[in-house]
C-alpha cells in the first residue's frame, strides 16, 4: 500500500485536532442535517456518525434535485462510487472502490436483488419511487453474505408515513418532467393515506426518451427507451410495537439497443428489441415492544422475477431469459447490559431459465442455461461498550451454497465463513476514530460455472465455444480500514461541519474473470474456447474524503475519492479501476429557504494507472463538468404544495469518456420538473 493516502488522511486528522484545540474548544451541539440515519444498509438503524463503516446516503431532497434517470446516476457524485456501462440508463451499473457488477450487492427494502445475466441491466428501480439510497463502501459479507465484496447499495422505497404531514390522513402528488437531451418526458404520481391502524400507498411513473446526445452534439444511435414503473404498499399496525407490511412493485422497459448496451452495434454486437419486466412482492413483519430489551424482531419474505425477452431484429431470432428469486430473512436485536446484539438467519433460491434461438445459426449460439442456486446463512453482530468512549464491533457469518445445472445434471457446493471486527473510539465530542477488518466472498454463478455452446463465431474461420468449470472457487476479500469522523456545530453561529476520512486496503483473491483462449489448431482445424477462471489476486488501496458545511442557508459539499488497483503477483496495474474524482457542490437558499440555487463542479483526472499491455491504446483523458441547479418549494401561500426543479448538466457540452468504458457520456442537458402535492 502506498503511503501517500495514509499521510494525507493523517495530516487532515492531526491538523483538525490542532485547530480544534484553539478554535473549537467550546461545547458543540449534535449535528443533525449531516448525520443521516441508516435504515437497511448495515441491517440495523444507526446514525452515519456512529457506524465504523464507510457510508454514503442520498436522501429524498437530493434525489429531487438530481432528477436522476437511474439509481446509478443518483450516486455519481459520491466519492469512490462510479457509474458503469455508458449513458443508457437501463443498463447502467454501480462500481464501488473499483469493484462492480456481481461484486456489489443490491437490496430494495432489505430484500436481495440477485438478477445477473450477461450484459443486461439489473438496476430497475426508478429513483422517483425512492426516499433514500444508502451505500456501504467496502466488504460487508459478515452481514449480507455472498456478493458484498465491493459494498452494498440499499434502496428504500417511499411509504404513506413518509409522505403525509402530521395529522393528515390522505394525500397525493402529480409530477411532470422534461429533459432536452433525448427529448425525455417523465410523468409520475401517487396517492396515499392512513385510516386508523392501516396505511397505503400507490405510486407510479412513466418515461420516454429518444436517442441520447453525447458531448459535442454527437448522437448515440439506438438509445431510445420507454419505461413504466409502479409501487404499492399496504401497512397494518395492530399495536404500537407491531407492523405488518405488504409491498409490490414492477417495472417494464422497452428499447431497441445493442445486445451489449455498453457499446455500439457492430458485426459482433447485433441490434436487439429488448423487453425487460421486473416484478417483486415483499412481506415484512416487525415486533419491537418498548418494555422488552431482548426483542426487536424483523422478518422479511420476498419474491423477485425478471424476464428479458429479446428479438434479434437483424437475425430473426427470439431469445428469452427468466431469473427468479425466493428468499427470506429473520433477525432480532437484543440489548444485554452494555452490549447490543443483532443475529439472524436468511436464505434464498435463485432460478435461471433461458431459451436461445439459433435459427439460421445452428450451432453458433450459446446453449440454454437452466439451473438454480441455493444459499443458507446465519450471522451475529455485536456492539460492546468496553468503556464510555471505546466500543468493540465483532461479527461472524456462515453461509453454505450450492449450484445445480439442470441441463448438464451437474452440481457443486461449498461454504464460507465471513468475519469482521471493528474498534470505535469516541476520542471527544467532535472526533470519532475507528479501525476495522472485514472478510467477504462472492459465490460463482450458474452462468460462470455451466455455460455451454458457442460464444461467438468468426465467419468462415472458427467458432469460440464455452467450457464449463465446475471447480470454480468463490472470490474472497480481506479489507483493512481506518476511519476518522469529525462533527462540529456553532463554529461561526448557525452552522454545521462534518468531515469523514476513510483509508482502506482490500485484498481480493481468486478473482473470477472470463478467459478467452488463444487460437490453437487440432487436427488442422482452428479452435478457441471461453471459460470463467480464478486468475487474479488483486490489491486495492485508496481513500475517500467527504466534507460538508452549512452556514445558515449556505451549503458546501466536497467529495474526493481515489483507488489504486494492482495484481499482487506481477505488481501490474489492474484494468477497470476508476480515475481520481473530485466533486464540489455549493448551494444557497433564499426567501426563507423557499428557493435554492446551486452549482456543481466535477473533476476527473487522467487515468494513467494502466497495465503495460494497455500503454499503446487510447488514453483516458481528464475532464471537468459543470452543472447548475435550482429548486423552488414555497412553504406557504398561493403556491404551497408546488415544487419546481431546474438543472443544466454538462453546461460546456463536454465530450468525455470515463476510464475503461466504451461509450462517451451524455452531453449538455436541460432538466425541468414540476410536482404538486395535494
Amino acid at each position: 500500500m502506498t503511503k501517500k493516502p495514509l499521510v494525507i488522511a493523517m495530516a487532515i486528522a492531526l491538523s483538525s485536532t490542532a485547530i480544534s484545540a484553539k478554535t473549537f474548544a467550546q461545547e458543540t451541539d449534535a449535528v443533525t442535517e449531516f448525520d443521516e440515519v441508516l435504515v437497511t444498509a448495515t441491517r440495523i438503524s444507526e446514525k452515519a456518525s456512529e457506524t465504523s463503516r464507510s457510508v454514503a446516503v442520498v436522501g429524498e431532497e437530493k434525489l429531487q434535485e438530481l432528477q436522476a434517470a437511474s439509481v446509478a446516476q443518483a450516486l455519481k457524485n459520491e466519492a469512490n462510487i462510479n457509474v458503469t456501462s455508458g449513458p443508457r440508463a437501463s443498463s447502467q451499473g454501480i462500481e464501488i472502490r473499483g469493484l462492480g457488477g456481481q461484486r456489489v450487492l443490491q437490496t430494495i427494502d432489505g430484500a436481495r436483488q440477485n438478477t445477473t445475466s450477461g450484459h443486461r441491466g439489473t438496476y430497475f428501480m426508478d429513483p422517483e419511487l425512492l426516499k433514500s439510497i444508502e451505500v456501504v463502501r467496502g466488504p460487508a459479507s459478515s452481514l449480507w453474505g455472498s456478493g458484498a465484496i465491493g459494498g452494498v447499495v440499499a434502496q428504500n422505497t417511499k411509504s404513506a408515513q413518509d409522505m403525509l404531514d402530521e395529522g393528515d390522513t390522505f394525500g397525493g402528488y402529480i409530477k411532470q418532467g422534461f429533459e432536452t437531451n433525448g427529448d425525455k418526458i417523465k410523468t409520475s404520481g401517487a396517492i396515499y393515506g392512513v385510516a386508523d391502524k392501516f396505511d397505503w400507498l400507490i405510486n407510479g411513473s412513466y418515461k420516454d426518451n429518444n436517442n441520447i446526445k453525447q458531448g459535442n452534439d454527437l448522437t448515440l444511435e439506438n438509445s431510445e427507451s420507454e419505461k413504466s414503473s409502479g409501487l404499492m404498499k399496504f401497512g397494518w399496525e395492530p399495536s404500537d410495537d407491531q407492523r405488518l407490511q405488504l409491498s409490490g412493485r414492477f417495472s417494464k422497459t422497452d428499447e431497441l439497443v445493442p445486445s451489449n448496451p455498453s457499446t455500439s452495434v457492430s458485426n459482433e454486437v447485433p441490434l436487439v428489441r429488448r423487453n425487460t419486466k421486473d416484478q417483486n412482492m415483499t412481506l415484512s413483519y416487525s415486533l419491537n415492544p418498548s418494555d422488552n430489551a431482548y426483542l426487536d424482531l424483523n422478518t422479511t419474505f420476498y419474491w423477485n422475477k425478471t424476464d428479458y425477452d429479446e428479438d434479434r431484429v437483424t437475425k430473426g431470432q427470439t431469445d428469452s431469459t427468466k431469473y427468479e428469486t425466493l428468499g427470506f430473512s429473520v433477525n432480532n436485536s437484543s440489548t444485554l447490559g452494555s452490549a447490543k446484539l443483532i443475529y439472524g438467519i436468511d436464505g434464498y433460491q435463485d432460478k435461471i431459465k433461458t431459451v436461445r434461438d439459433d435459427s439460421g445459426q445452428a450451432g453458433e449460439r450459446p446453449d440454454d442455461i437452466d439451473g438454480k442456486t441455493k444459499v443458507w446463512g446465519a450471522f451475529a453482530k455485536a456492539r460492546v461498550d468496553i468503556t464510555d468512549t471505546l466500543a468493540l464491533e465483532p461479527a461472524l457469518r456462515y453461509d453454505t451454497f450450492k449450484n445445480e445445472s439442470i441441463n448438464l445434471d451437474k452440481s457443486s457446493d461449498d461454504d464460507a465463513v465471513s468475519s469482521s471486527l471493528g474498534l470505535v473510539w469516541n476520542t471527544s465530542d467532535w472526533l470519532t476514530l475507528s479501525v476495522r477488518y472485514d472478510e467477504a466472498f462472492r459465490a460463482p454463478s450458474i452462468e460462470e460455472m455451466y455455460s455451454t455452446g458457442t460464444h461467438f463465431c468468426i465467419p468462415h474461420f472458427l467458432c469460440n465455444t464455452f467450457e464449463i468449470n465446475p471447480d470454480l472457487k468463490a472470490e474472497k476479500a480481506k479489507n483493512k480500514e481506518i476511519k476518522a469522523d469529525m462533527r462540529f456545530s456553532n463554529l461561526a453561529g448557525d452552522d454545521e461541519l462534518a468531515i469523514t476520512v476513510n483509508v482502506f486496503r482490500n485484498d481480493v483473491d481468486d478473482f473470477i474473470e472470463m478467459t478467452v483462449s488463444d487460437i490453437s489448431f487440432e487436427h488442422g482445424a482452428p479452435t478457441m474456447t471461453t471459460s470463467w477462471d480464478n486468475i487474479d489476486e488483486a490489491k486495492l488501496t485508496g481513500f475517500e474524503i467527504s466534507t460538508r458545511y452549512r452556514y445558515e442557508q449556505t451549503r458546501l459539499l466536497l467529495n474526493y475519492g481515489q483507488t489504486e488497483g494492482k495484481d499482487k503477483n506481477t505488481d501490474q496495474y489492474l484494468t477497470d479501476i476508476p480515475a481520481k474524482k473530485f466533486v464540489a457542490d455549493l448551494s444557497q437558499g433564499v426567501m426563507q429557504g423557499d428557493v435554492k440555487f446551486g452549482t456543481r463542479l466535477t473533476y476527473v483526472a487522467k487515468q494513467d494507472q494502466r497495465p503495460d499491455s494497455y500503454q499503446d491504446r487510447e488514453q483516458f483523458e481528464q475532464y471537468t463538468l459543470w452543472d447548475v441547479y435550482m429548486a423552488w418549494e414555497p412553504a406557504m401561500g398561493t403556491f404551497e404544495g408546488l415544487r419546481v426543479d431546474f438543472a443544466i448538466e454538462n453546461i460546456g457540452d463536454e465530450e468525455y469518456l470515463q476510464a475503461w468504458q466504451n461509450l462517451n457520456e451524455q452531453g449538455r442537458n436541460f432538466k425541468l420538473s414540476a410536482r404538486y402535492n395535494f
Side-chain angles (χ1 to χ4, degrees):
M1 178 178 178
T2 60
K3 294 183 178 180
K4 186 177 179 181
L6 182 59
V7 169
I8 294 174
M10 293 305 295
I12 291 174
L14 291 173
S15 63
S16 297
T17 304
I19 294 171
S20 170
K22 297 180 180 179
T23 312
F24 305 139
Q26 72 268 33
E27 183 179 351
T28 59
D29 298 327
V31 177
T32 55
E33 181 174 326
F34 300 143
D35 201 9
E36 303 92 344
V37 176
L38 302 171
V39 180
T40 58
T42 57
R43 304 199 77 152
I44 191 170
S45 179
E46 59 181 344
K47 291 183 178 181
S49 62
E50 295 175 351
T51 180
S52 58
R53 298 182 181 273
S54 175
V55 297
V57 180
V58 177
E60 188 172 1
E61 173 66 22
K62 183 58 69 175
L63 289 171
Q64 296 263 29
E65 290 176 5
L66 291 170
Q67 305 177 67
S70 69
V71 171
Q73 287 185 22
L75 298 171
K76 67 180 181 180
N77 299 317
E78 303 301 321
N80 272 334
I81 302 176
N82 294 83
V83 181
T84 63
S85 300
R88 294 183 176 96
S90 60
S91 62
Q92 287 175 335
I94 294 170
E95 182 181 68
I96 302 175
R97 294 178 174 177
L99 298 175
Q102 299 179 60
R103 299 179 180 107
V104 173
L105 176 65
Q106 178 189 177
T107 69
I108 299 177
D109 293 335
R112 294 178 62 106
Q113 309 298 301
N114 293 337
T115 298
T116 173
S117 184
H119 302 290
R120 303 169 182 90
T122 60
Y123 283 82
F124 306 112
M125 179 61 69
D126 186 340
E128 181 62 34
L129 309 181
L130 296 174
K131 67 177 180 181
S132 69
I133 305 172
E134 304 167 7
V135 180
V136 174
R137 286 175 287 225
S141 284
S142 61
L143 298 176
W144 291 100
S146 176
I149 283 182
V152 180
V153 177
Q155 303 154 69
N156 303 305
T157 60
K158 297 175 180 177
S159 67
Q161 295 167 320
D162 301 317
M163 307 287 284
L164 287 169
D165 293 332
E166 186 175 355
D168 290 344
T169 59
F170 176 79
Y173 77 87
I174 186 168
K175 183 176 181 179
Q176 183 65 50
F178 176 74
E179 300 180 25
T180 58
N181 195 314
D183 300 322
K184 180 186 293 183
I185 60 170
K186 183 173 181 179
T187 304
S188 60
I191 53 174
Y192 37 83
V194 296
D196 194 19
K197 298 178 180 181
F198 295 89
D199 58 85
W200 56 275
L201 173 142
I202 301 175
N203 199 173
S205 69
Y206 169 82
K207 65 180 180 181
D208 186 13
N209 68 271
N210 296 324
N211 284 333
I212 295 169
K213 289 284 189 179
Q214 298 168 297
N216 204 18
D217 205 34
L218 301 175
T219 298
L220 178 60
E221 299 295 340
N222 307 119
S223 55
E224 303 155 308
S225 180
E226 182 181 5
K227 180 176 181 177
S228 55
S229 301
L231 169 70
M232 294 183 292
K233 269 189 178 182
F234 303 94
W236 175 47
E237 298 184 358
S239 64
D240 292 340
D241 53 20
Q242 294 185 79
R243 179 173 176 82
L244 181 67
Q245 180 174 279
L246 175 66
S247 66
R249 58 177 173 79
F250 78 91
S251 75
K252 180 181 178 182
T253 305
D254 292 313
E255 53 192 347
L256 185 66
V257 294
S259 59
N260 179 357
S262 66
T263 186
S264 301
V265 173
S266 64
N267 291 333
E268 293 78 24
V269 184
L271 191 62
V272 171
R273 171 66 67 184
R274 178 173 291 152
N275 180 286
T276 304
K277 297 178 182 177
D278 182 61
Q279 305 168 70
N280 162 269
M281 294 291 291
T282 299
L283 178 65
S284 59
Y285 172 75
S286 61
L287 175 62
N288 180 20
S290 57
D291 58 350
N292 192 328
Y294 307 110
L295 186 60
D296 186 0
L297 179 68
N298 292 279
T299 64
T300 303
F301 298 89
Y302 59 94
W303 167 81
N304 305 325
K305 184 179 181 182
T306 306
D307 294 346
Y308 303 95
D309 293 320
E310 300 173 332
D311 178 8
R312 296 188 166 211
V313 294
T314 59
K315 296 183 178 293
Q317 299 166 338
T318 303
D319 293 346
S320 172
T321 301
K322 301 183 185 297
Y323 209 100
E324 188 173 8
T325 299
L326 188 65
F328 77 95
S329 173
V330 180
N331 63 72
N332 184 60
S333 297
S334 301
T335 301
L336 307 171
S338 62
K340 186 169 185 178
L341 180 67
I342 177 172
Y343 47 93
I345 59 172
D346 52 40
Y348 58 88
Q349 176 180 267
D350 292 331
K351 289 184 179 180
I352 184 173
K353 182 177 178 59
T354 68
V355 176
R356 298 287 176 256
D357 184 355
D358 65 353
S359 301
Q361 286 183 285
E364 298 182 10
R365 299 291 316 283
D367 290 338
D368 297 344
I369 300 177
D370 293 344
K372 58 184 177 181
T373 298
K374 294 181 179 179
V375 177
W376 298 88
F379 73 95
K381 169 189 173 183
R383 181 182 174 102
V384 182
D385 293 327
I386 301 174
T387 68
D388 291 340
T389 60
L390 197 63
L392 195 65
E393 295 183 345
L396 186 68
R397 181 182 173 100
Y398 172 78
D399 286 276
T400 176
F401 48 93
K402 181 178 183 180
N403 280 337
E404 298 179 59
S405 170
I406 297 173
N407 291 358
L408 302 178
D409 193 25
K410 291 181 178 292
S411 65
S412 60
D413 57 76
D414 203 350
D415 57 15
V417 175
S418 305
S419 61
S420 68
L421 181 64
L423 184 64
V424 182
W425 179 28
N426 297 311
T427 66
S428 65
D429 56 4
W430 60 269
L431 173 63
T432 300
L433 297 175
S434 60
V435 58
R436 61 177 302 110
Y437 169 80
D438 290 275
E439 295 178 344
F441 77 101
R442 181 182 76 84
S445 67
I446 289 288
E447 183 179 27
E448 292 168 331
M449 298 185 76
Y450 296 118
S451 288
T452 58
T454 299
H455 185 196
F456 62 86
C457 287
I458 302 175
H460 312 298
F461 182 49
L462 64 77
C463 285
N464 179 295
T465 58
F466 286 108
E467 284 191 345
I468 67 171
N469 187 356
D471 298 322
L472 199 60
K473 295 183 291 186
E475 297 176 332
K476 302 177 184 66
K478 296 179 180 179
N479 187 67
K480 286 72 66 179
E481 190 154 344
I482 300 172
K483 176 182 178 182
D485 191 275
M486 292 159 271
R487 307 271 166 163
F488 310 98
S489 63
N490 300 327
L491 305 177
D494 178 15
D495 66 349
E496 304 173 22
L497 173 64
I499 304 173
T500 305
V501 182
N502 290 83
V503 183
F504 65 89
R505 169 169 169 169
N506 192 9
D507 293 281
V508 185
D509 296 337
D510 294 325
F511 248 46
I512 298 174
E513 289 194 3
M514 179 187 288
T515 305
V516 179
S517 71
D518 294 329
I519 299 174
S520 62
F521 290 85
E522 294 184 9
H523 309 293
T527 62
M528 181 187 290
T529 61
T530 294
S531 62
W532 278 268
D533 301 289
N534 300 107
I535 53 173
D536 282 337
E537 294 185 353
K539 177 179 67 176
L540 303 170
T541 60
F543 67 96
E544 56 252 357
I545 301 175
S546 175
T547 300
R548 293 179 288 179
Y549 178 69
R550 179 191 64 80
Y551 176 74
E552 295 182 350
Q553 294 188 52
T554 303
R555 291 168 177 81
L556 175 64
L557 286 76
L558 303 174
N559 287 327
Y560 177 81
Q562 70 174 55
T563 300
E564 178 186 274
K566 284 192 172 184
D567 186 307
K568 289 196 293 184
N569 295 323
T570 65
D571 203 40
Q572 284 281 307
Y573 287 116
L574 299 177
T575 60
D576 297 325
I577 303 300
K580 302 168 186 175
K581 182 178 69 175
F582 171 76
V583 178
D585 191 319
L586 176 66
S587 64
Q588 175 66 53
V590 297
M591 299 172 61
Q592 289 76 50
D594 288 358
V595 178
K596 179 163 67 173
F597 298 95
T599 184
R600 183 183 306 111
L601 185 74
T602 302
Y603 170 77
V604 178
K606 178 180 179 179
Q607 179 52 294
D608 52 10
Q609 295 182 346
R610 310 191 305 169
D612 292 343
S613 58
Y614 276 76
Q615 294 307 314
D616 296 331
R617 302 191 185 186
E618 180 182 2
Q619 299 290 315
F620 298 118
E621 299 294 343
Q622 68 180 33
Y623 56 88
T624 302
L625 305 176
W626 180 33
D627 309 331
V628 295
Y629 59 91
M630 183 198 76
W632 176 48
E633 188 173 14
M636 59 183 65
T638 305
F639 297 103
E640 182 180 357
L642 177 66
R643 178 183 174 112
V644 177
D645 284 277
F646 174 73
I648 310 175
E649 295 180 333
N650 192 1
I651 291 177
D653 200 26
E654 183 80 12
E655 182 181 353
Y656 68 101
L657 178 69
Q658 287 195 103
W660 313 108
Q661 304 302 306
N662 298 309
L663 296 173
N664 287 343
E665 299 299 326
Q666 185 170 270
R668 184 187 297 114
N669 189 22
F670 292 79
K671 304 168 105 174
L672 176 66
S673 66
R675 185 190 70 180
Y676 180 70
N677 285 59
F678 57 86

